[in-house]
Amino acid sequence: MTGWVHVCDETCSEKIIEPCSGLLVCPISGQVSDRMMTCAEEAAEEGDRGDDEAKAAEAEAQEEEYGERGRLARAFAAGYYCNDEEELLRKCGVRLGYVPVKGSDGKSVVQCVCPAGTYQVQSGSSRSCAPCPLGSFCPGGSPTARRPTDNLGGQARSCNANSSSIDGLTTKAERASKAADCVAKAGYVLPASRDQPAVECTGSSYSPAYNRLRACLPCQPGLAAPPTYSGPRTDRSDVCQVPPGKFWELNVVRNCPKGLYRPSWVRTDNKAGVACLSCPEGWTTAATATIPVGMCNVLLPGFKLAATTPGSEPSPADALSLSSQSLDDPPPAVAACPIGFYYDGESNKMACVRCPLGSTTQRNASTSINDCVVPPGWFVAATADGAGQMLKCPTTPEGSEQEGYYRAGWKSYSEVTSSSGDGSDVCTPCGDGILSRAVDADESPDAAADSKVAASSASCYIEAGWGMSFDPTDFAKFKATKPCPENTYGVANETFGLINAPCKACTKNLKSPPGSTSFAACKNRAGFGTLRREPTSNHHVGDTYVSVGMTFANNATGPETCVPRYAQLPAPAGNRLALNDAVFTAVPAGAASVAACIEACPDTMCCIAQYEAGSGGSPAVCKHAKLAPTGPVSADASIPRLFYKLPPSAVIAAASVSAKTQSSSLYMTCNMSPWGALPGSGEIGTSPNPALVEEAKQTVEWDAAGCTDEASCGRSCDANAACWGYIYVQGKGFALRGGEDQIGTRSFFVSPEVCKFGIDEAMAVPPVILPILPVLPPPSTPPTTPTPAPAPPPPATPTPAPESPATSCSVPVTEVTTAGNVTGTCSCCAAGGNATYCPGEMFQTITPCTRENKTGIICLPRTGRE
């Protein structure tokens, strides 16, 4: 339906000539043109023209019957009321289904023939044009027919060759009029020439119905027709199927991967074609594109034949059965290798192999020797026969203090095979002097429910009355103090786990026997009581002041080398160092606060800051005792030395100045020459042994057991919380020193600020004692009393102690700036190292300078910066 309306009138351009009648008829509306000649007009031309009036009257009557424009009605009415074709031919001159053959004038009809697409059929005397049937084409009557004997109806000609039995050609519909209307049926294609039969598709090819192809269509690569396929190749899905051993994915034929197979053909529109079938459990294939299930004959790693005992090969009967089975039959049943066995699939024995050296596996179906592991708390020891056995890591025997071991995690047998045989080389030691006991659950696959092993650090423990602390040489390790020494106390009970639980010192002058388990064991001696300190309103009790950390050597590699610059005297050692007052110098500027007193110490000296809080209206007092840092005794044994203990920054969180008892095993070394004979007379500190202090405060135990050199004194002082350090005097030896109590007093060690003036690396000492700083001259004004002992001979031209490195070793220099030429200094310490900062009234430029082959910094006055 187009929606258009055809108006048929005198201007209609669609009119055609009706072949047999010669009338102009509109094929759309069926209306006959006004120019159609009536019967009267035809008679007037061909018959007697004499009786014009009678014929005119007859014509007029017909005009009245059909109307002025009724020629269409006349034609339709005449044909409608005809009984047969002959009557229609008599009335209207029309023969059903025929087309006219015009004469030479192009107007007159000389014969009627069947049109193309039809052929003439005759039944008795009746003739008509019938539609050409399917499979044939009809050219129609001859367009040159003149006589009734000429070819008026034509013939129906078959599309297939007359001599061929192959019925492969047809037409799409009836009324085919020419040979070109012949097409091939499904499964056939057109022949090379008209007189040949259709070509039938064979093999993996096909053709659709009603095609004009000259060649059959091949299947897509990978697809093919099943060998059993019969019949015409008409349907692509029927002909082109997925072969066995392959599957259909995203319109591509792919081989079944290893472990999968497909035994049959499958259409591409079948969902089963998108996947292959899995081999039975435990089996795989040797190659891809496997067709029969019997080719699933490769045993997967981790499995064995179900009938085979783990650790043994298949029996000859099982092996023969496997090799002779039909390819259409599935392989025999299998089972996973049990715990303690594995099968790597690399051999054809199809048997599980026992793990070596007594190791085991964590699960069934292990696939590699690398799955052979040793559970936590166990190790592997070799045996004489080479088989090896798993043994538990050694623990401390009952009633013994033998060092204990543990081992965490599952490990490959090769990692925990002991060469020593006792596991001490592959199990983890708890630490120096620390015991162990099997308290962890045994994770061995065949372990009893109540079996225990030492499988974690929770198996490590110390006895009651012992202490445990970080190993100063390696903070990742621990060591035991067994038992805690006298005047200290340790843990109350057996304590498991590696934790920092050092021996705690009793309060000053309280005593406890070795191995004490609580503070209750700390007792006063007969005739002594306790002193309770009550803070007053002006007593400094805040501990929020925090020291910076630093190292005393270049190229430091770990946090264990970090110590605080400011360190308060530990409470167990007392409030003050018990130094003779003659060594102190009052520092009024530092009396404002503890922080001011500490920070008033010089950067280049060992400084002992003693702050005494005011009370009863008296002001606070800040006093300093200053010494030059020096080297080890081996460098110059004539110099008396003071060694003070420093806590580790890594353990006490940047070393708050609050009292700390932990030692870093690092000691600052200071030159006591300015103090003359005081060190040798017992005026520098007290004995850490309270009994000796009670007898005489100035008692000194020179070269006592445990303190005969720097290393042994350091170890002894580390273990004694009441010890703040030790001293050395030529001719007398070494001695440990402690402090004393004084209410309202706090004492601090303030170490030299080596970051500001560098380190003389040539004066390094063994690890127990800190690397030594450059030897600097003593203060210009030493204490008047007591008279100091003669110092070692100074250099030929002694230099006064510098105020700061940046100004003591500098030369004038002119720097070009945006404000013009500005005069400053090129600073470079001549005694060791490079300058690292400018004084406060100057600023550092980004340009370096060089002096005496050393790199320096340029310092300019801040007023010149503008």
Side-chain angles (χ1 to χ4, degrees), residues 291-556:
I291 297 175
V293 67
M295 292 301 292
C296 295
N297 54 9
V298 178
L299 188 63
L300 283 172
F303 288 88
K304 68 177 185 67
L305 295 181
T308 304
T309 302
S312 62
E313 299 181 12
S315 65
D318 291 336
L320 178 62
S321 173
L322 182 62
S323 62
S324 61
Q325 72 172 13
S326 171
L327 293 181
D328 295 330
D329 296 331
V334 298
C337 289
I339 289 176
F341 294 83
Y342 70 94
Y343 174 57
D344 56 14
E346 295 182 0
S347 67
N348 295 324
K349 296 182 179 180
M350 299 186 181
C352 298
V353 181
R354 185 181 297 276
C355 284
L357 300 177
S359 58
T360 185
T361 58
Q362 291 182 267
R363 59 188 65 87
N364 293 326
S366 294
T367 61
S368 168
I369 192 173
N370 294 327
D371 294 332
C372 295
V373 291
V374 178
W378 293 78
F379 71 97
V380 172
T383 57
D385 59 1
Q389 60 179 336
M390 280 200 324
L391 299 176
K392 293 182 179 181
C393 285
T395 56
T396 304
E398 190 71 26
S400 167
E401 293 185 2
Q402 177 181 315
E403 184 176 295
Y405 293 81
Y406 70 95
R407 196 185 64 72
W410 289 82
K411 297 286 186 179
S412 170
Y413 76 94
S414 59
E415 296 181 67
V416 293
T417 299
S418 174
S419 58
S420 64
D422 61 357
S424 60
D425 54 338
V426 291
C427 296
T428 305
C430 289
D432 184 13
I434 302 177
L435 317 179
S436 72
R437 182 181 302 160
V439 297
D440 299 304
D442 189 353
E443 298 182 36
S444 301
D446 54 354
D450 58 349
S451 179
K452 303 292 183 181
V453 293
S456 70
S457 60
S459 297
C460 301
Y461 73 99
I462 55 175
E463 298 281 4
W466 293 10
M468 186 188 302
S469 59
F470 292 107
D471 189 331
T473 62
D474 185 353
F475 283 127
K477 298 180 180 178
F478 290 82
K479 66 178 183 178
T481 303
K482 58 178 186 180
C484 285
E486 61 179 356
N487 306 328
T488 65
Y489 61 94
V491 296
N493 304 293
E494 281 187 350
T495 301
F496 285 83
L498 297 179
I499 58 175
N500 189 35
C503 298
K504 299 178 178 62
C506 293
T507 304
K508 185 70 173 179
N509 294 326
L510 296 182
K511 296 194 174 202
S512 66
S516 298
T517 59
S518 70
F519 180 73
C522 299
K523 306 292 185 181
N524 281 314
R525 295 183 62 196
F528 286 82
T530 59
L531 174 65
R532 182 182 181 189
R533 299 179 180 175
E534 296 289 347
T536 59
S537 60
N538 61 347
H539 184 199
H540 180 81
V541 295
D543 284 327
T544 59
Y545 186 74
V546 178
S547 170
V548 297
M550 63 181 182
T551 62
F552 285 87
N554 291 329
N555 303 316

Side-chain angles (χ1 to χ4, degrees), residues 569-616:
L569 184 66
N575 302 114
R576 48 179 281 170
L577 275 70
L579 307 182
N580 189 293
D581 287 339
V583 303
F584 285 102
T585 302
V587 184
S593 65
V594 171
C597 185
I598 294 173
E599 294 177 350
C601 284
D603 293 336
T604 60
M605 306 289 286
C606 300
C607 178
I608 299 170
Q610 184 170 299
Y611 182 86
E612 301 172 2
S615 62

